[in-house]
Amino acid sequence: MAPKKEDSNNKVVAQNRRARFDFFLTETFEAGVALRGTEVKSLRDGKGNIQESYAEEKNGEIWLINAYIPEYQSKMPFGHEERRPRKLLLHKREITKMSDALNKKGFTLVPVKLYFNDRGIAKLELAIAEGKKKADKREAVKERDWQRDKARIMRDFG
């Protein structure tokens, strides 16, 4: 696999910031998304939401479920269904790695970020994730608060 490029040229459309709080993200993948024309136009306007979405494996393919892309506001007679399942474009070895992880107990596929790359192609950052327990979430909040307090102290006295 090629190393991931810097995100400087990428235009982020939607992020799932809650994913890092609710899950331990073990491995991330970049996937293309099979979209219709009105969906691409809507995403270019910066509209879209992946907060409640997830990915699952069906018949050897990975599908993005419950991602919200609103209908494009124009005078076009045809549009798209806002929450339809969308096929993710991945290599076969990535699909087998994801399906193996899904067969393990407690693992799921979580979309982290939806963006356009430097070539203008819609991409989805997808992560294999394991759910956090309530105590793990409390620990994350405690660590985040301590980092914030530490930065404040360093700024004031440093």
Side-chain angles (χ1 to χ4, degrees):
M1 281 197 287
K4 219 169 168 188
K5 293 181 183 175
E6 187 64 35
D7 291 341
S8 61
N9 296 335
N10 297 342
K11 180 185 178 235
V12 176
V13 177
Q15 278 189 321
N16 188 355
R17 296 179 62 194
R18 187 114 181 119
R20 295 190 195 285
F21 181 73
D22 289 336
F23 299 98
F24 292 114
L25 304 181
T26 57
E27 190 173 358
T28 60
F29 300 92
E30 182 182 59
V33 187
L35 298 171
R36 297 193 175 131
T38 54
E39 291 174 328
V40 175
K41 288 182 177 189
S42 186
L43 287 176
R44 287 202 189 282
D45 283 348
K47 298 180 176 114
N49 189 354
I50 57 171
Q51 293 287 357
E52 301 157 1
S53 62
Y54 61 97
E56 66 181 21
E57 191 248 340
K58 289 183 191 170
N59 301 327
E61 298 174 335
I62 304 290
W63 292 82
L64 179 64
I65 309 295
N66 205 27
Y68 177 74
I69 299 175
E71 202 164 308
Y72 184 66
Q73 300 300 318
S74 71
K75 295 171 180 57
M76 299 175 85
F78 52 89
H80 64 271
E81 196 177 323
E82 295 175 338
R83 291 200 182 265
R84 74 176 182 90
R86 293 168 178 93
K87 185 177 176 181
L88 297 179
L89 310 171
L90 293 155
H91 293 284
K92 196 68 174 170
R93 67 179 180 276
E94 293 174 333
I95 293 173
T96 56
K97 188 180 277 191
M98 288 181 192
S99 62
D100 290 345
L102 287 176
N103 291 334
K104 294 178 187 172
K105 188 174 179 179
F107 283 90
T108 186
L109 290 175
V110 179
V112 178
K113 182 170 46 171
L114 182 63
Y115 61 94
F116 285 99
N117 67 2
D118 54 349
R119 291 176 43 206
I121 298 171
K123 298 288 184 177
L124 180 78
E125 188 175 308
L126 193 64
I128 297 174
E130 185 178 12
K132 283 185 180 179
K133 305 274 190 261
K134 199 170 190 177
D136 296 329
K137 292 179 186 180
R138 280 196 297 265
E139 186 65 35
V141 169
K142 216 186 295 184
E143 177 66 26
R144 186 179 62 214
D145 289 345
W146 166 241
Q147 292 297 330
R148 189 180 307 128
D149 290 343
K150 189 167 69 171
R152 187 178 302 128
I153 290 168
M154 294 297 287
R155 185 183 66 234
D156 291 344
F157 296 111

